[in-house]
Amino acid sequence: MSSVLRLETMNPYVRKAQYAVRGRLYSAALERSKAGLPVVYTNIGNPHGLGQKPITFFRQVVAIVNYPGLLEDEATRRHFPEDVIKRARLYLNHFKGGTGSYQDSRGNAYIREEVAKRLEERDGTKPDISSIFLTDGASAGVSRCLQALIQGSADAVLTPTPQYPIYAAAINLFNGTSAEYYLDEQKGWGLDLDELDRARNKAHDSGGKVRGLVVINPGNPTGQCLSEKNMLEIVEWCKRKKVVLFADEVYQENVYSSGRQFVSFRKVISESKQASDLECFSFHTISKGMVGECGHRGGYFHCNNIDPLVRNEIYKLASTTLCSNTTGEMLVGLMSNPPRPGDPSYELYHLEVRGIYESLRRRAKMLAEALGKMQGVTCNAVEGALYAFPRIRLPHRAVVAAKAAGVPADTYYCLRLLDETGICTVPGSGFGQQEGTFHFRTTILAQEEDFDYLTQSFQEFHARFISEYS
Amino acid sequence: MSSVLRLETMNPYVRKAQYAVRGRLYSAALERSKAGLPVVYTNIGNPHGLGQKPITFFRQVVAIVNYPGLLEDEATRRHFPEDVIKRARLYLNHFKGGTGSYQDSRGNAYIREEVAKRLEERDGTKPDISSIFLTDGASAGVSRCLQALIQGSADAVLTPTPQYPIYAAAINLFNGTSAEYYLDEQKGWGLDLDELDRARNKAHDSGGKVRGLVVINPGNPTGQCLSEKNMLEIVEWCKRKKVVLFADEVYQENVYSSGRQFVSFRKVISESKQASDLECFSFHTISKGMVGECGHRGGYFHCNNIDPLVRNEIYKLASTTLCSNTTGEMLVGLMSNPPRPGDPSYELYHLEVRGIYESLRRRAKMLAEALGKMQGVTCNAVEGALYAFPRIRLPHRAVVAAKAAGVPADTYYCLRLLDETGICTVPGSGFGQQEGTFHFRTTILAQEEDFDYLTQSFQEFHARFISEYS
């Protein structure tokens, strides 16, 4: 074998990075699909992939701006409501040269203005658009901001366990250290300051310097929604410990439990007495919420109290890949500035969004309850986001069988589940979990008409599996 | 100043990376625009930004797939030719859940099949689609493949001087070493094996190991188109020296000089006797050619003879950002598989593409000639790509004035040009040049109706500048 580029001679950080959401289970599911067997992909938060429909207003605007010929032909123009045409014309004016033209590397300025106004509506104060960067999905932004921070392996970033694995993956890619803090399953996946201290001290004892903290709120895969009081404690802790906060807020519209309400870290920081100058990157996306436009890769991050010179370096970094995609950018604008009451498209928009939200809320409840009914399974309420992350107590003989098969016990369970029902989940080990515990993540996105069938099929599998190994 | 993230405490590789195409000149041009003054952005290959129109067939398909409601309404459906509707239906079938759904992290399989067929038409052999990765523009792919290769600062990659700066920037970001080889301006920016040897030996003498070679063909910013004989020599050199070839072929459709023809490195490798198993990544994009869809961020790379285990690691790397954007993916498919003779849209398609090509060809010639007429300026023929990269001999007093102003002399010249004419170019120092020589890059993309005015305004500025400092 004379090849230059082999596993042993490639970038070791690339090899080290793991991303289970498209890992072993996903590969097995693809094989199954190829063989013509049905698969329900609940491994990833991909609403349209499971039947959710796009928002009509958004797609109408996108169609016209990408093909303005629709406005030149009277027959086609008549198809569109007035406010669609108005918005499309506005975007055509602001995307000089059309959507085929490169944009500023931070994203189109008009779209960033729409984002800034949305942040003002949400938080009470309007940011400068120079602190907003549009990106190809939230992940690209997360990766960029972590890259800016990490100087080398001595730099540690605290990341939640369980966590959405982009964080550990990106930190590993940039040769930083991902230091785990645990969310408390007993307290509804709560975030405790003592645990942050423990994790920070542990990293420091190993020679690392903790310079960042990642908080995912609402939680992924854990679904909890933080209280404002808890957030203020976190913010003040970051300030005291000289830590940059990375606030993953991509599920900000996905809060289902009554009594819970999303509050942004940006707002908590701005209103805090001791930490109003805390450095914070926050992330949002078009892929979640009621929009669900995963395939179009749109998102943004906001730089809160970030040194303008550092922001310039991030701008330069963004410029090496020129700009984010224009359809994704438009969808960020549309999400931030949807039809308002009185607009011709408002009624349909409201109906669509309300329908999706209510259905997600029902499914969040149904799924957690259905899973919780299974023997040896406990599942916290899905307060927010798109996932349930139940704990499963596996019989000792199942753990032994998994070991013999050379895979973690939760992976073994999930592979069997896929094999027997076609349901593709992700094992808890892909997100991290307390040693000796087993979990899996499944989305709440299966359509309601399939829900009974799927939960029944899942419950039957589980009963068989447990009885086989008891 | 108590902030955590400052220039001195951020990732030093981010600071080190440079990207002049959106650097000092571009910033000055933006300031000028803000002040209400006119700017002609010839700093970047952005065809639509300077008035080139999108291909109608492409945008019609994109509009329908993103908003299938156009097919449900008879009045709007009648607007579209049959082959547009047929292709849109095909894509709707192959993008399960529509364009809002995540795709495979290598890109939609049907689109990759269209790419594979195009590569077969071009090179005579069809690659497996598992060796094709769709990306958000070519830059994202370049960055990913370099990242996979580079293990650390001892790994060197040979990059051309002058070069499009994404290469040095990406290599720096991944803590590798960019080792310069010079193109020979006297020989029409030719690539000489002795020079590759010199650059390789120099890198080895400094303790580096050369593991990659970047070749941009047709050249950027230099515009030369390599002969097949020269390419074969390069390929065999890479094989002998155990070097992975990075073939930037984004300008493969942009060849203007009669007697010159683009041949792909993939074809040369497959037909070579001694190097048919050479490892090579090649890159293509929707941003150049006659398509010019820069804003939609579409592209692909092909892995030629790359170890499948390494390819899997690249697949995993791609999966951390989930997938490239679906509109960009569709445009890759449309570029690879355009209307054929006999199709209802063929005539218009052919007219549009031909018109753009002929105009680019005229402009390539006109620009090189107009620049070459200026005192002390020599400009090689623009055989391909979208740029002229003339050499300017600056009077000694201009070099002194630049030094006093604290900028390189070519930057000084370009800033004055911008200030006095609104023409935004990029100084040669942004691409690299032989010590003591000065150049700038300008695109051939200004529309023909503006050409006379712009070249005259440029020539007048140049005469004034030279006389001022002589």
Side-chain angles (χ1 to χ4, degrees), chain B residues 20-68:
Chain B
V21 174
R22 292 205 158 178
R24 169 109 192 210
L25 260 287
Y26 179 67
S27 303
L30 288 181
E31 288 304 315
R32 200 180 141 89
S33 285
K34 257 192 201 166
L37 294 165
V39 175
V40 184
Y41 288 95
T42 78
N43 60 307
I44 192 161
N46 185 20
H48 293 203
L50 290 182
Q52 186 178 306
K53 294 278 168 281
I55 310 284
T56 305
F57 178 81
F58 294 5
R59 291 294 190 93
Q60 287 179 331
V61 172
V62 163
I64 296 175
V65 183
N66 279 334
Y67 177 51

Short mmCIF file of all heavy atoms in Angstrom, two decimals, chain B residues 20-68:
data_model
loop_
_atom_site.label_atom_id
_atom_site.label_comp_id
_atom_site.label_asym_id
_atom_site.label_seq_id
_atom_site.Cartn_x
_atom_site.Cartn_y
_atom_site.Cartn_z
N ALA B 20 -6.97 38.28 0.98
CA ALA B 20 -6.93 39.64 0.44
C ALA B 20 -8.07 39.99 -0.50
O ALA B 20 -8.36 41.15 -0.72
CB ALA B 20 -5.60 39.86 -0.28
N VAL B 21 -8.73 38.94 -1.08
CA VAL B 21 -9.80 39.23 -2.04
C VAL B 21 -10.91 40.04 -1.36
O VAL B 21 -11.61 40.82 -1.98
CB VAL B 21 -10.34 37.92 -2.64
CG1 VAL B 21 -11.54 38.17 -3.52
CG2 VAL B 21 -9.23 37.24 -3.45
N ARG B 22 -11.06 39.83 -0.05
CA ARG B 22 -11.96 40.67 0.73
C ARG B 22 -11.18 41.39 1.82
O ARG B 22 -11.62 41.46 2.96
CB ARG B 22 -13.10 39.84 1.29
CG ARG B 22 -14.03 39.33 0.19
CD ARG B 22 -15.40 39.04 0.71
NE ARG B 22 -16.38 39.06 -0.38
CZ ARG B 22 -17.66 38.79 -0.23
NH1 ARG B 22 -18.13 38.48 0.95
NH2 ARG B 22 -18.50 38.85 -1.25
N GLY B 23 -10.02 41.89 1.47
CA GLY B 23 -9.14 42.51 2.45
C GLY B 23 -9.22 44.03 2.42
O GLY B 23 -10.29 44.62 2.29
N ARG B 24 -8.06 44.66 2.50
CA ARG B 24 -7.95 46.11 2.65
C ARG B 24 -8.67 46.90 1.56
O ARG B 24 -9.37 47.86 1.83
CB ARG B 24 -6.45 46.45 2.63
CG ARG B 24 -6.11 47.90 2.52
CD ARG B 24 -5.57 48.39 3.81
NE ARG B 24 -5.51 49.83 3.80
CZ ARG B 24 -4.61 50.52 4.46
NH1 ARG B 24 -3.71 49.88 5.19
NH2 ARG B 24 -4.63 51.84 4.44
N LEU B 25 -8.46 46.46 0.31
CA LEU B 25 -9.09 47.20 -0.80
C LEU B 25 -10.61 47.11 -0.74
O LEU B 25 -11.33 48.08 -0.96
CB LEU B 25 -8.57 46.67 -2.14
CG LEU B 25 -7.48 47.48 -2.83
CD1 LEU B 25 -8.05 48.78 -3.41
CD2 LEU B 25 -6.32 47.79 -1.90
N TYR B 26 -11.08 45.89 -0.43
CA TYR B 26 -12.52 45.67 -0.35
C TYR B 26 -13.13 46.52 0.77
O TYR B 26 -14.18 47.14 0.58
CB TYR B 26 -12.77 44.18 -0.12
CG TYR B 26 -14.22 43.79 0.02
CD1 TYR B 26 -15.10 43.89 -1.07
CD2 TYR B 26 -14.73 43.31 1.22
CE1 TYR B 26 -16.43 43.54 -0.94
CE2 TYR B 26 -16.05 42.94 1.36
CZ TYR B 26 -16.90 43.05 0.28
OH TYR B 26 -18.22 42.69 0.40
N SER B 27 -12.46 46.58 1.91
CA SER B 27 -12.95 47.42 3.02
C SER B 27 -13.02 48.88 2.61
O SER B 27 -14.01 49.56 2.88
CB SER B 27 -12.03 47.31 4.24
OG SER B 27 -11.90 45.99 4.65
N ALA B 28 -11.98 49.34 1.92
CA ALA B 28 -11.98 50.73 1.47
C ALA B 28 -13.11 50.97 0.48
O ALA B 28 -13.77 52.02 0.49
CB ALA B 28 -10.63 51.07 0.83
N ALA B 29 -13.38 49.95 -0.37
CA ALA B 29 -14.46 50.09 -1.36
C ALA B 29 -15.81 50.15 -0.66
O ALA B 29 -16.69 50.93 -1.04
CB ALA B 29 -14.40 48.92 -2.34
N LEU B 30 -15.98 49.34 0.39
CA LEU B 30 -17.25 49.38 1.14
C LEU B 30 -17.46 50.75 1.77
O LEU B 30 -18.57 51.28 1.75
CB LEU B 30 -17.26 48.30 2.23
CG LEU B 30 -17.39 46.84 1.78
CD1 LEU B 30 -17.41 45.93 3.01
CD2 LEU B 30 -18.64 46.63 0.94
N GLU B 31 -16.40 51.33 2.33
CA GLU B 31 -16.50 52.66 2.93
C GLU B 31 -16.93 53.68 1.88
O GLU B 31 -17.77 54.53 2.12
CB GLU B 31 -15.14 53.08 3.52
CG GLU B 31 -14.75 52.36 4.80
CD GLU B 31 -15.82 52.48 5.88
OE1 GLU B 31 -16.32 53.59 6.10
OE2 GLU B 31 -16.16 51.44 6.49
N ARG B 32 -16.32 53.54 0.70
CA ARG B 32 -16.65 54.43 -0.40
C ARG B 32 -18.13 54.30 -0.80
O ARG B 32 -18.82 55.30 -1.02
CB ARG B 32 -15.75 54.06 -1.58
CG ARG B 32 -15.59 55.13 -2.63
CD ARG B 32 -14.67 54.63 -3.74
NE ARG B 32 -15.21 55.10 -5.01
CZ ARG B 32 -14.89 56.27 -5.57
NH1 ARG B 32 -14.01 57.04 -4.98
NH2 ARG B 32 -15.44 56.64 -6.70
N SER B 33 -18.60 53.05 -0.89
CA SER B 33 -20.01 52.80 -1.21
C SER B 33 -20.91 53.45 -0.17
O SER B 33 -21.91 54.09 -0.50
CB SER B 33 -20.31 51.30 -1.22
OG SER B 33 -19.81 50.70 -2.37
N LYS B 34 -20.54 53.26 1.10
CA LYS B 34 -21.34 53.82 2.20
C LYS B 34 -21.47 55.32 2.08
O LYS B 34 -22.50 55.90 2.39
CB LYS B 34 -20.67 53.50 3.54
CG LYS B 34 -21.31 52.36 4.30
CD LYS B 34 -20.75 52.33 5.72
CE LYS B 34 -20.95 50.96 6.36
NZ LYS B 34 -20.12 50.82 7.57
N ALA B 35 -20.37 55.96 1.61
CA ALA B 35 -20.36 57.41 1.47
C ALA B 35 -21.12 57.86 0.21
O ALA B 35 -21.13 59.04 -0.12
CB ALA B 35 -18.92 57.91 1.44
N GLY B 36 -21.72 56.89 -0.50
CA GLY B 36 -22.54 57.24 -1.65
C GLY B 36 -21.76 57.36 -2.95
O GLY B 36 -22.31 57.77 -3.97
N LEU B 37 -20.48 57.00 -2.94
CA LEU B 37 -19.66 57.10 -4.15
C LEU B 37 -19.74 55.79 -4.94
O LEU B 37 -19.86 54.71 -4.35
CB LEU B 37 -18.21 57.41 -3.78
CG LEU B 37 -18.00 58.79 -3.14
CD1 LEU B 37 -16.64 58.89 -2.48
CD2 LEU B 37 -18.18 59.89 -4.19
N PRO B 38 -19.64 55.86 -6.27
CA PRO B 38 -19.76 54.65 -7.07
C PRO B 38 -18.51 53.77 -6.97
O PRO B 38 -17.39 54.27 -6.84
CB PRO B 38 -19.91 55.18 -8.50
CG PRO B 38 -19.25 56.51 -8.48
CD PRO B 38 -19.45 57.06 -7.10
N VAL B 39 -18.71 52.44 -6.98
CA VAL B 39 -17.62 51.48 -6.97
C VAL B 39 -17.90 50.42 -8.03
O VAL B 39 -19.03 49.96 -8.16
CB VAL B 39 -17.49 50.78 -5.59
CG1 VAL B 39 -16.41 49.69 -5.64
CG2 VAL B 39 -17.17 51.78 -4.49
N VAL B 40 -16.89 50.05 -8.79
CA VAL B 40 -16.99 48.90 -9.69
C VAL B 40 -16.15 47.79 -9.05
O VAL B 40 -14.93 47.88 -8.97
CB VAL B 40 -16.46 49.23 -11.10
CG1 VAL B 40 -16.67 48.03 -12.02
CG2 VAL B 40 -17.15 50.47 -11.65
N TYR B 41 -16.85 46.75 -8.58
CA TYR B 41 -16.17 45.68 -7.84
C TYR B 41 -15.52 44.68 -8.79
O TYR B 41 -16.11 43.67 -9.13
CB TYR B 41 -17.14 44.98 -6.90
CG TYR B 41 -17.55 45.82 -5.71
CD1 TYR B 41 -18.71 46.59 -5.72
CD2 TYR B 41 -16.75 45.87 -4.58
CE1 TYR B 41 -19.08 47.37 -4.64
CE2 TYR B 41 -17.10 46.65 -3.48
CZ TYR B 41 -18.26 47.40 -3.52
OH TYR B 41 -18.61 48.18 -2.43
N THR B 42 -14.31 44.98 -9.23
CA THR B 42 -13.60 43.99 -10.06
C THR B 42 -12.61 43.22 -9.19
O THR B 42 -11.70 42.59 -9.69
CB THR B 42 -12.87 44.65 -11.25
OG1 THR B 42 -11.66 45.24 -10.76
CG2 THR B 42 -13.71 45.68 -11.94
N ASN B 43 -12.83 43.25 -7.86
CA ASN B 43 -11.92 42.53 -6.95
C ASN B 43 -12.22 41.04 -6.88
O ASN B 43 -11.39 40.27 -6.42
CB ASN B 43 -12.00 43.12 -5.54
CG ASN B 43 -13.39 43.03 -4.95
OD1 ASN B 43 -14.36 43.46 -5.58
ND2 ASN B 43 -13.51 42.46 -3.77
N ILE B 44 -13.39 40.64 -7.31
CA ILE B 44 -13.82 39.27 -7.07
C ILE B 44 -14.62 38.76 -8.26
O ILE B 44 -15.31 39.54 -8.92
CB ILE B 44 -14.63 39.20 -5.75
CG1 ILE B 44 -14.84 37.75 -5.31
CG2 ILE B 44 -15.96 39.92 -5.85
CD1 ILE B 44 -15.21 37.62 -3.85
N GLY B 45 -14.49 37.46 -8.55
CA GLY B 45 -15.19 36.88 -9.68
C GLY B 45 -16.65 36.65 -9.36
O GLY B 45 -17.05 35.55 -8.99
N ASN B 46 -17.44 37.69 -9.48
CA ASN B 46 -18.84 37.69 -9.05
C ASN B 46 -19.71 38.12 -10.23
O ASN B 46 -20.22 39.24 -10.25
CB ASN B 46 -18.98 38.66 -7.87
CG ASN B 46 -20.37 38.65 -7.25
OD1 ASN B 46 -21.14 37.70 -7.43
ND2 ASN B 46 -20.70 39.70 -6.53
N PRO B 47 -19.90 37.25 -11.22
CA PRO B 47 -20.51 37.66 -12.49
C PRO B 47 -21.87 38.35 -12.34
O PRO B 47 -22.09 39.42 -12.91
CB PRO B 47 -20.66 36.33 -13.25
CG PRO B 47 -19.62 35.42 -12.67
CD PRO B 47 -19.51 35.82 -11.24
N HIS B 48 -22.77 37.76 -11.52
CA HIS B 48 -24.11 38.37 -11.40
C HIS B 48 -24.03 39.75 -10.74
O HIS B 48 -24.83 40.63 -11.03
CB HIS B 48 -25.03 37.47 -10.60
CG HIS B 48 -25.37 36.17 -11.29
ND1 HIS B 48 -26.48 35.43 -11.01
CD2 HIS B 48 -24.74 35.48 -12.27
CE1 HIS B 48 -26.52 34.34 -11.77
NE2 HIS B 48 -25.46 34.35 -12.55
N GLY B 49 -23.05 39.90 -9.86
CA GLY B 49 -22.88 41.20 -9.20
C GLY B 49 -22.55 42.30 -10.18
O GLY B 49 -22.81 43.48 -9.93
N LEU B 50 -22.00 41.92 -11.35
CA LEU B 50 -21.67 42.93 -12.37
C LEU B 50 -22.60 42.84 -13.57
O LEU B 50 -22.29 43.32 -14.65
CB LEU B 50 -20.21 42.79 -12.79
CG LEU B 50 -19.19 43.22 -11.72
CD1 LEU B 50 -17.77 43.09 -12.22
CD2 LEU B 50 -19.43 44.65 -11.23
N GLY B 51 -23.76 42.20 -13.37
CA GLY B 51 -24.80 42.30 -14.40
C GLY B 51 -25.05 41.05 -15.23
O GLY B 51 -25.98 41.03 -16.04
N GLN B 52 -24.23 39.99 -15.08
CA GLN B 52 -24.51 38.77 -15.84
C GLN B 52 -25.84 38.17 -15.35
O GLN B 52 -26.12 38.15 -14.16
CB GLN B 52 -23.37 37.76 -15.64
CG GLN B 52 -23.51 36.51 -16.51
CD GLN B 52 -22.31 35.56 -16.32
OE1 GLN B 52 -21.16 35.97 -16.47
NE2 GLN B 52 -22.59 34.32 -15.97
N LYS B 53 -26.64 37.68 -16.31
CA LYS B 53 -27.97 37.15 -15.95
C LYS B 53 -27.89 35.64 -15.69
O LYS B 53 -27.11 34.94 -16.33
CB LYS B 53 -28.95 37.41 -17.10
CG LYS B 53 -29.24 38.88 -17.34
CD LYS B 53 -30.30 39.39 -16.37
CE LYS B 53 -30.40 40.91 -16.39
NZ LYS B 53 -29.33 41.60 -15.62
N PRO B 54 -28.72 35.15 -14.76
CA PRO B 54 -28.75 33.70 -14.53
C PRO B 54 -29.34 32.96 -15.74
O PRO B 54 -30.06 33.55 -16.54
CB PRO B 54 -29.66 33.55 -13.31
CG PRO B 54 -30.43 34.81 -13.21
CD PRO B 54 -29.63 35.89 -13.88
N ILE B 55 -29.03 31.67 -15.83
CA ILE B 55 -29.59 30.81 -16.89
C ILE B 55 -31.07 30.54 -16.56
O ILE B 55 -31.38 30.05 -15.47
CB ILE B 55 -28.83 29.46 -16.94
CG1 ILE B 55 -27.32 29.67 -16.99
CG2 ILE B 55 -29.35 28.59 -18.07
CD1 ILE B 55 -26.76 30.09 -18.30
N THR B 56 -31.93 30.87 -17.48
CA THR B 56 -33.38 30.79 -17.22
C THR B 56 -33.82 29.39 -16.79
O THR B 56 -34.54 29.23 -15.80
CB THR B 56 -34.16 31.23 -18.48
OG1 THR B 56 -33.70 32.54 -18.84
CG2 THR B 56 -35.65 31.27 -18.24
N PHE B 57 -33.39 28.37 -17.53
CA PHE B 57 -33.80 27.00 -17.23
C PHE B 57 -33.47 26.63 -15.77
O PHE B 57 -34.30 26.07 -15.05
CB PHE B 57 -33.09 26.03 -18.18
CG PHE B 57 -33.38 24.57 -17.95
CD1 PHE B 57 -34.55 23.99 -18.44
CD2 PHE B 57 -32.50 23.76 -17.24
CE1 PHE B 57 -34.83 22.64 -18.24
CE2 PHE B 57 -32.76 22.41 -17.03
CZ PHE B 57 -33.93 21.85 -17.53
N PHE B 58 -32.28 26.99 -15.34
CA PHE B 58 -31.84 26.64 -13.98
C PHE B 58 -32.77 27.26 -12.93
O PHE B 58 -33.24 26.59 -12.01
CB PHE B 58 -30.42 27.16 -13.71
CG PHE B 58 -29.34 26.50 -14.52
CD1 PHE B 58 -29.63 25.58 -15.52
CD2 PHE B 58 -28.01 26.82 -14.29
CE1 PHE B 58 -28.63 24.97 -16.26
CE2 PHE B 58 -26.99 26.22 -15.03
CZ PHE B 58 -27.30 25.31 -16.02
N ARG B 59 -33.03 28.55 -13.10
CA ARG B 59 -33.82 29.25 -12.08
C ARG B 59 -35.29 28.83 -12.11
O ARG B 59 -35.96 28.85 -11.08
CB ARG B 59 -33.71 30.76 -12.29
CG ARG B 59 -32.31 31.31 -11.98
CD ARG B 59 -31.97 31.16 -10.49
NE ARG B 59 -30.75 31.89 -10.17
CZ ARG B 59 -30.71 33.14 -9.72
NH1 ARG B 59 -31.83 33.81 -9.53
NH2 ARG B 59 -29.56 33.72 -9.46
N GLN B 60 -35.77 28.44 -13.30
CA GLN B 60 -37.16 27.97 -13.36
C GLN B 60 -37.32 26.67 -12.58
O GLN B 60 -38.27 26.50 -11.82
CB GLN B 60 -37.58 27.77 -14.83
CG GLN B 60 -37.79 29.10 -15.56
CD GLN B 60 -38.18 28.92 -17.02
OE1 GLN B 60 -37.80 27.93 -17.65
NE2 GLN B 60 -38.92 29.87 -17.55
N VAL B 61 -36.37 25.76 -12.76
CA VAL B 61 -36.44 24.49 -12.02
C VAL B 61 -36.35 24.76 -10.51
O VAL B 61 -37.13 24.23 -9.72
CB VAL B 61 -35.32 23.53 -12.47
CG1 VAL B 61 -35.28 22.29 -11.58
CG2 VAL B 61 -35.50 23.13 -13.93
N VAL B 62 -35.39 25.61 -10.13
CA VAL B 62 -35.21 25.94 -8.71
C VAL B 62 -36.50 26.51 -8.11
O VAL B 62 -36.90 26.14 -6.99
CB VAL B 62 -34.03 26.93 -8.54
CG1 VAL B 62 -34.05 27.61 -7.18
CG2 VAL B 62 -32.70 26.20 -8.74
N ALA B 63 -37.16 27.40 -8.84
CA ALA B 63 -38.39 28.03 -8.33
C ALA B 63 -39.47 26.97 -8.07
O ALA B 63 -40.10 26.97 -7.02
CB ALA B 63 -38.89 29.08 -9.32
N ILE B 64 -39.64 26.06 -9.00
CA ILE B 64 -40.70 25.05 -8.83
C ILE B 64 -40.38 24.09 -7.69
O ILE B 64 -41.23 23.78 -6.86
CB ILE B 64 -40.94 24.24 -10.13
CG1 ILE B 64 -41.44 25.17 -11.24
CG2 ILE B 64 -41.94 23.12 -9.89
CD1 ILE B 64 -41.60 24.48 -12.59
N VAL B 65 -39.14 23.61 -7.63
CA VAL B 65 -38.82 22.62 -6.60
C VAL B 65 -38.95 23.26 -5.21
O VAL B 65 -39.41 22.61 -4.26
CB VAL B 65 -37.42 22.00 -6.81
CG1 VAL B 65 -37.16 20.92 -5.77
CG2 VAL B 65 -37.31 21.40 -8.19
N ASN B 66 -38.57 24.53 -5.09
CA ASN B 66 -38.71 25.19 -3.79
C ASN B 66 -40.15 25.58 -3.48
O ASN B 66 -40.52 25.76 -2.32
CB ASN B 66 -37.82 26.44 -3.72
CG ASN B 66 -36.38 26.07 -3.39
OD1 ASN B 66 -36.13 25.05 -2.75
ND2 ASN B 66 -35.44 26.89 -3.82
N TYR B 67 -40.96 25.71 -4.51
CA TYR B 67 -42.37 26.06 -4.29
C TYR B 67 -43.24 25.26 -5.27
O TYR B 67 -43.67 25.77 -6.30
CB TYR B 67 -42.59 27.57 -4.46
CG TYR B 67 -44.03 27.98 -4.31
CD1 TYR B 67 -44.77 27.57 -3.19
CD2 TYR B 67 -44.66 28.74 -5.28
CE1 TYR B 67 -46.10 27.91 -3.06
CE2 TYR B 67 -46.00 29.10 -5.16
CZ TYR B 67 -46.71 28.68 -4.04
OH TYR B 67 -48.03 29.00 -3.91
N PRO B 68 -43.50 23.99 -4.93
CA PRO B 68 -44.22 23.12 -5.86
C PRO B 68 -45.66 23.58 -6.10
O PRO B 68 -46.31 23.09 -7.04
CB PRO B 68 -44.20 21.75 -5.16
CG PRO B 68 -43.10 21.83 -4.15
CD PRO B 68 -43.04 23.27 -3.74
#
